[in-house]
Amino acid sequence: LVSSSYKFTNKRVVQKQIGTNKAELKLRSPLTRADQINIPVLLAHGSKDRVVRPGQSRRMYKALKQHKKTVSYSEFDDGNHYLSNEEHRLAFFQARRK
């Protein structure tokens, strides 16, 4: 988020809220702390999300699986960040742990 904020007018707000120290950001990242997550996780992502890249959810899913956590992942073809497609929303709301 911080590294891509340079493209936007709220760059300084993002940097102030989240920080800019890469080492600290990595330590706070859910990806880095996947081993500490102890509740079931449902990840959903649209393949055409232009706000958050789908690869972030894929990496989180992989990290959780590596730590033998309960996680489900659904990626919706041609879906966006907001699950604007009704079929995608319904599938998300009906998702169950696998």
Side-chain angles (χ1 to χ4, degrees), residues 14-71:
V14 169
Q15 291 175 342
K16 185 175 181 178
Q17 289 177 338
I18 297 175
T20 57
N21 182 304
K22 288 184 181 186
E24 287 180 15
L25 290 170
K26 187 173 183 177
L27 286 173
R28 293 192 315 242
S29 168
L31 184 63
T32 305
R33 303 176 76 153
D35 64 320
Q36 298 173 26
I37 295 174
N38 295 312
I39 58 172
V41 175
L42 171 62
L43 296 168
H45 218 112
S47 66
K48 300 280 176 132
D49 189 333
R50 296 187 331 177
V51 178
V52 178
R53 294 182 190 114
Q56 291 186 25
S57 287
R58 293 180 199 135
R59 286 192 301 278
M60 189 68 202
Y61 175 76
K62 184 178 178 182
L64 290 166
K65 288 301 264 185
Q66 286 176 341
H67 290 288
K68 300 187 182 344
K69 303 298 179 172
T70 302
V71 58

Side-chain angles (χ1 to χ4, degrees), residues 42-45 74 76 83 85-96:
L42 171 62
L43 296 168
H45 218 112
S74 296
F76 301 108
L83 295 178
N85 179 298
E86 183 177 0
E87 289 179 31
H88 296 164
R89 282 194 310 276
L90 288 173
F92 173 74
F93 291 135
Q94 295 172 349
R96 302 277 189 261

